[in-house]
Amino acid sequence: MKAVTWHGKRDVRVDTVPDPILQKPDDVIVKITSTGVCGSDLHLYELFGPFIDEGDVLGHEPMGVVAEVGPEVTAVKPGDRVVVPFNVSCGTCFTCSQGLQSQCETTQVREYGSGASLFGYTKLYGQVPGGQAEYLRVPFGNKLPIKVPDGPPDDRFVYLSDVLPTAWQAVEYAAVPPGGSVAVLGLGPIGDMAARVALHRGAETVIGIDLVPERLQRAHGRGVRAIDAREPELVERVRELTGGRGPDAVIDAVGMEAHGGTAGKLAQQVTGLLPDPVAAKLMRTAGVDPMVALHTAIELVRRGGTISVVGVYGGMADPMPMMTLFDKQVQLRMGQANVWRWVPEILPLLTDDDPLGVDDFATHRVPLARAPEAYADFQAKRDNTVKVLLKP
């Protein structure tokens, strides 16, 4: 089959790789019909080389049609249409039963002290072959695949794999009070969708902050107060929109991709030049992230407010302004999305009314063969690229 594979920094290719096969009695093989390129895939594209092997298959936002099932699978059958969550979770362990599928005890990567395995995402998260491919082996076939109706286009459901539950959890963790305010830092796919979810769930004032004019315009068109992050009086401008106090909540949807953090950028560049074993140790013990977005969130949020961190950070010793967090009595929540925890709340919204605008959420739909070009455009923010769907 054809699949998107990693070959080095800024080097992904579409290769021919072996077809997946059933390995356990409850495995499922899914023929992929749509698969997303995620902002966190760019972390693999740029930084996480020490934890990837050449030829690893990427991707964790797939959906498709069940092609084959193991003998113990009863929940789905060949021909069923399914979305595959990015968490590889068993659905039956203690953490899964608590709605914490991102911490699944069955698939935790204990060698690295990490949570649940993820599709297509490095040795840190299990080195499980990903879904930017023609076919995907999905374990836990009775619990993991999300069965969706036939009929509507893939765009209606594919974001259940990651974008929708991640954005939903970001807003849930932000704890925006009814009629309250929230600022969203970063209007890439997750930030854009988090702003939409916040408006849908009753936030009166949603402020979107980004550097890219097209992304600001896109958010403004959905009712978001869009502000360029380069405004010299950014904090004051946000406070003016929130009664002088600052927003009730701030969602950091940027993470390690924050712009403007010179020291963090330098650390990432230096890490990229080191031999893999040395770089891996540095990334697991030192701070390699530009922390501008998180520091901005701490400055923006009102006293007693909440910060929800959904952007991925990769450093282990990044500096945190603990005195300010304590003094402002800030609540801080974060973590990988627990996909199945939010599916029952989100799925009923994926109707013809399309309140979250999923039908036109993708900016680019391209054949799988054009994945390298799509990665490069997404990384460089060219051609108004916000969300890419690959079509095997």
Side-chain angles (χ1 to χ4, degrees):
M1 69 172 183
K2 296 294 185 181
V4 179
T5 59
W6 186 89
H7 287 269
K9 183 175 181 178
R10 300 189 188 180
D11 183 5
V12 299
R13 307 174 192 175
V14 178
D15 291 334
T16 299
V17 302
D19 291 352
I21 60 173
L22 299 173
Q23 298 178 18
K24 295 185 177 181
D26 63 347
D27 280 352
V28 168
I29 303 297
V30 175
K31 178 179 174 58
I32 304 302
T33 55
S34 293
T35 182
V37 179
C38 180
S40 56
D41 287 328
L42 297 183
H43 303 156
L44 312 182
Y45 194 63
E46 288 283 344
L47 184 64
F48 278 100
F51 298 102
I52 315 177
D53 290 333
E54 187 168 0
D56 279 1
V57 179
L58 305 180
H60 57 269
E61 297 186 349
M63 71 170 292
V65 177
V66 174
E68 189 178 359
V69 301
E72 294 182 4
V73 175
T74 57
V76 295
K77 64 184 184 302
D80 284 346
R81 194 182 191 196
V82 296
V83 175
V84 182
F86 74 96
N87 318 119
V88 184
S89 57
C90 71
T92 57
C93 69
F94 171 78
T95 52
C96 285
S97 70
Q98 301 298 304
L100 294 168
Q101 290 85 8
S102 68
Q103 308 301 321
C104 175
E105 292 179 329
T106 304
T107 72
Q108 283 177 14
V109 186
R110 291 176 173 81
E111 178 183 358
Y112 291 101
S114 303
S117 296
L118 310 177
F119 286 103
Y121 214 82
T122 82
K123 297 173 187 176
L124 292 173
Y125 289 98
Q127 207 169 21
V128 181
Q132 290 172 4
E134 293 181 311
Y135 291 90
L136 177 69
R137 182 184 76 89
V138 180
F140 311 113
N142 289 316
K143 295 291 184 179
L144 187 55
I146 303 166
K147 191 173 176 179
V148 296
D150 292 329
D154 282 6
D155 290 44
R156 185 69 56 84
F157 303 112
V158 67
Y159 305 116
L160 278 171
S161 59
D162 182 352
V163 173
L164 281 167
T166 298
W168 195 274
Q169 180 171 297
V171 175
E172 180 75 18
Y173 282 9
V176 185
S181 56
V182 58
V184 180
L185 298 175
L187 294 171
I190 301 300
D192 184 332
M193 185 57 74
R196 299 180 187 204
V197 170
L199 286 167
H200 173 77
R201 293 182 57 169
E204 181 174 332
T205 303
V206 178
I207 301 164
I209 301 170
D210 203 289
L211 296 158
V212 182
E214 294 84 0
R215 295 185 178 190
L216 292 167
Q217 184 177 4
R218 174 178 159 108
H220 176 73
R222 300 285 306 189
V224 174
R225 308 280 188 92
I227 301 178
D228 193 312
R230 291 164 292 200
E231 284 204 13
E233 303 297 333
L234 175 64
V235 174
E236 288 72 16
R237 174 79 186 283
V238 172
R239 286 178 179 163
E240 287 173 3
L241 295 171
T242 53
R245 298 186 184 90
D248 298 307
V250 178
I251 295 172
D252 174 3
V254 178
M256 71 171 68
E257 290 181 278
H259 294 276
T262 304
K265 283 184 181 178
L266 180 60
Q268 290 189 2
Q269 290 166 0
V270 170
T271 302
L273 296 173
L274 295 172
D276 282 356
V278 178
K281 183 176 181 180
L282 177 65
M283 290 174 64
R284 290 183 54 75
T285 58
V288 297
D289 299 326
M291 300 286 285
V292 174
L294 185 53
H295 286 216
T296 301
I298 293 166
E299 189 174 7
L300 286 176
V301 72
R302 70 162 170 82
R303 290 179 178 272
T306 302
I307 295 173
S308 173
V309 180
V310 66
V312 176
Y313 285 94
M316 290 292 283
D318 293 306
M320 286 284 286
M322 294 304 298
M323 185 173 72
T324 303
L325 286 165
F326 182 84
D327 178 66
K328 292 185 74 172
Q329 200 168 333
V330 170
Q331 300 178 76
L332 186 62
R333 295 196 71 180
M334 66 188 75
Q336 298 276 11
N338 306 295
V339 173
W340 260 108
R341 166 65 180 84
W342 311 113
V343 166
E345 295 179 41
I346 299 170
L347 192 54
L349 300 177
L350 305 181
T351 63
D352 288 343
D353 292 338
D354 192 20
L356 299 178
V358 295
D359 282 347
D360 61 358
F361 188 71
T363 55
H364 295 71
R365 299 168 182 83
V366 302
L368 190 72
R370 288 181 53 199
E373 175 186 339
Y375 266 82
D377 287 344
F378 190 21
Q379 191 275 335
K381 299 180 174 66
R382 287 193 295 261
D383 192 28
N384 192 24
T385 303
V386 177
K387 189 61 185 178
V388 178
L389 292 181
L390 303 175
K391 299 290 186 175

